[in-house]
Amino acid sequence: MSSNKKVLEVKNLAIDFHTYAGTVKAIRDVSFDLHQGETLAIVGESGSGKTVTTKTIMGLLANNAEVIGGTVELHGKNILKMNDRELQDVRGKNIAEIFQDPMTSLDPTMKIGRQVAEPLMIHQKISKEKAQKRALEMLKLVGIKDAEKRINDYPHQFSGGMRQRIVIAIALICNPEILIADEPTTALDVTIQAQILDLMKELQAKISTSIIFITHDLGVVASMADRVAVMYAGKIVEYGSVDEIFYNPQHPYTWGLLNSMPTLDTAKGELEPIPGTPPDLLDPPVGDAFAARNPYAMKIDEELEPPFFKVSPSHYAATWLLHPDAPAVEPPAEIQRRWKIYQDTFQIDSADLRVGE
């Protein structure tokens, strides 16, 4: 259950990558906040800037990255201004991350008990014996069977799902305030995926950790998130509660993502991919970056970048379609179906489904 207490605030973040081909404008004015105990999902296609955003929060940007502007504030302290020692203190203790591939996150030469215990010895300065005892408790908590026997095993002796549980144990051993989960279930089969997601929700409820969940899988978002930020070409283009994004989406890019997502109602062959490819951020387009792929694009989309329009106190979308002077458009049938569910569930007048301010 989330509270109103902000634990993290990202403001106007802009990041460039200097490459042989030129300067890539990877993150372009991204802002969001995170509240205690909530799960914020950041969704979008590959290359939209999801992982770069979270690497910035962890202070793990590549050497060719340059922060052009903005702040990342943890309890009022700007992470971007911290030195290496301060960042080491924050990582693991305040903010921890679960990466996509558990095998590359674990040291193949070190027993898993030692790997789980290590953050405690570093951040809380407790003895090896006490840390091992806590590590055993955490391994049991994340569902490692026969943990007493297996605490001295090496990573290669575990299945992919078990390795991901071990990575979660390492991330949560110091009870961090923020957990970043970057596509944590991509490499796992569907059954194990569901188990890992249930485990994360269960552990979150116990220790009130806030989660930033990075994914391109909207099905996972529906089951995990409280709020959703939709990213495209280095920018957030829509954000709102999980119900608002799934059932009252406003940005044509969000429409495209939802329209290409299989549901129980989807007939065979009905999925529609978003046409075209994301823009080259070596030379970002003028206006709305999604215009070239947007069947509803207007002339203004090629000339001016849209601001955020308010849909509700918690829901904003950056699309000129929400301007009071924009023509009414008929979105895909799947989006209209979702709007109808939203309208019936929340007893809203159909005229209020799309509101620009």
Side-chain angles (χ1 to χ4, degrees), residues 7 14 28 36 46 54 59-60 70-71 78 82 98 108 110 127 133 135 157 160 167 181 202 211 214 223 302 309:
V7 292
R28 306 183 300 138
Q36 186 178 27
S46 295
T54 54
L60 293 173
T71 58
N78 186 4
M82 290 181 180
I98 304 167
M110 194 188 290
S127 69
K133 191 178 174 185
Q157 294 173 274
V167 170
E202 190 184 314
I211 297 176
I214 306 296
S223 66
E302 296 171 2
F309 290 92

Side-chain angles (χ1 to χ4, degrees), residues 11-25:
K11 295 180 193 169
N12 308 114
L13 188 64
I15 296 166
D16 287 356
F17 281 84
H18 302 292
T19 71
Y20 290 117
T23 300
V24 177
K25 305 283 182 186

Side-chain angles (χ1 to χ4, degrees), residues 9-81:
E9 196 165 6
V10 177
K11 295 180 193 169
N12 308 114
L13 188 64
I15 296 166
D16 287 356
F17 281 84
H18 302 292
T19 71
Y20 290 117
T23 300
V24 177
K25 305 283 182 186
I27 301 295
R28 306 183 300 138
D29 195 22
V30 164
S31 298
F32 63 87
D33 50 37
L34 183 69
H35 296 89
Q36 186 178 27
E38 82 163 337
T39 298
L40 171 71
I42 303 180
V43 302
E45 294 166 291
S46 295
S48 59
K50 308 183 300 294
T51 296
V52 174
T53 302
T54 54
K55 282 191 180 300
T56 308
I57 294 168
M58 288 290 287
L60 293 173
L61 282 173
N63 291 334
N64 65 330
E66 182 185 359
V67 178
I68 299 302
T71 58
V72 178
E73 292 188 2
L74 177 73
H75 300 307
K77 285 191 76 176
N78 186 4
I79 289 173
L80 304 179
K81 300 289 185 191

